[in-house]
Amino acid sequence: MPINPPRLLAACLLLGAAGCAGRHSIVAATGTNIGVEISENPQTQAPYAKLGYQRTEWAIVPTNRTAEPGPGDTEHSAKDHGEVLMELRYGGIFDTGPSSGIYQRLAVGSTAVIQPGAAFMFARDADGNINGPTAAALQSALTVPEIAGAVAKKQLEVGRKHDCKPANAAVVDAAIVATGKWSTYEDFRDGNPPPTGSDVDGILTAIADVSCS
């Protein structure tokens, strides 16, 4: 969605100390336009009117990237940020039934997106319900061993180094294969079999000199 600069400025002023100015943030925005139609039925000559409204919502997640390189930056990127799960249901004056309101979800962060709650949240339909087939699929997914959040975060770091530069892929691949647990990067990435903390720590140590800069 196109970002409206005056509204972004207003949001920054409201946030103040949160640091919109001089610090990069992850910004998610949604909006609804307003429309008014006043007309006349050509057959009955009866007048009628239609009205729609506009709303704007912002989710701003601060990151560790400042406008200029400095202490706290990680390779001058926005790698570190808050973990956010958000669910919003809004009815308002035009809410005429379970399907007529606004229902939206947001997940930000490598840990947030792998939480069981995120899976349930995004599995819901527009009414906020989980239908039979979806419920069965979720139940099946719950039988898969969960990778601890800390391990998953390190696993994503391996993937980031693998994908950020073409020249890195071969080095990361070699470190993964050297563990004797996976024959390809794809198997490691997909958790086939799931990695342990010591597995990922060993790979990260082997690729410590691999840089994305």
Side-chain angles (χ1 to χ4, degrees):
M1 186 195 84
I3 292 178
N4 187 311
R7 287 183 181 154
L8 179 58
L9 177 59
C12 290
L13 291 174
L14 287 173
L15 286 172
C20 248
R23 182 166 294 277
H24 292 261
S25 297
I26 299 169
V27 179
T30 59
T32 303
N33 293 321
I34 187 170
V36 178
E37 179 185 353
I38 301 175
S39 185
E40 183 179 83
N41 189 306
Q43 296 179 343
T44 65
Q45 308 302 310
Y48 70 91
K50 293 181 181 179
L51 173 66
Y53 67 99
Q54 180 174 4
R55 54 169 286 281
T56 302
E57 177 195 345
W58 293 88
I60 302 179
V61 184
T63 73
N64 70 323
R65 180 179 176 184
T66 53
E68 298 295 334
D73 280 1
T74 304
E75 297 179 352
H76 195 41
S77 68
K79 173 179 174 292
D80 299 321
H81 52 76
E83 303 286 336
V84 177
L85 282 175
M86 182 183 75
E87 185 175 25
L88 171 69
R89 177 175 290 282
Y90 175 71
I93 61 175
F94 300 111
D95 189 4
T96 59
S99 301
S100 61
I102 295 170
Y103 176 50
Q104 61 190 52
R105 295 139 289 187
L106 174 71
V108 177
S110 58
T111 300
V113 298
I114 64 172
Q115 297 304 304
F120 278 97
M121 190 170 69
F122 282 92
R124 294 175 181 170
D125 59 22
D127 296 332
N129 300 317
I130 299 177
N131 60 33
T134 303
L138 283 172
Q139 184 62 40
S140 177
L142 289 176
T143 64
V144 178
E146 181 182 356
I147 300 175
V151 177
K153 199 166 186 178
K154 292 177 181 179
Q155 189 179 9
L156 288 170
E157 174 63 12
V158 174
R160 185 185 74 86
K161 288 195 172 188
H162 181 279
D163 297 335
C164 68
K165 288 171 62 177
N168 289 357
V171 178
V172 177
D173 287 345
I176 290 171
V177 172
T179 64
K181 194 169 183 176
W182 301 276
S183 57
T184 66
Y185 163 73
E186 287 72 23
D187 284 342
F188 167 80
R189 179 196 62 197
D190 297 338
N192 184 28
T196 65
S198 59
D199 290 332
V200 187
D201 286 341
I203 295 170
L204 286 173
T205 298
I207 61 174
D209 294 333
V210 174
S211 172
C212 288
S213 59

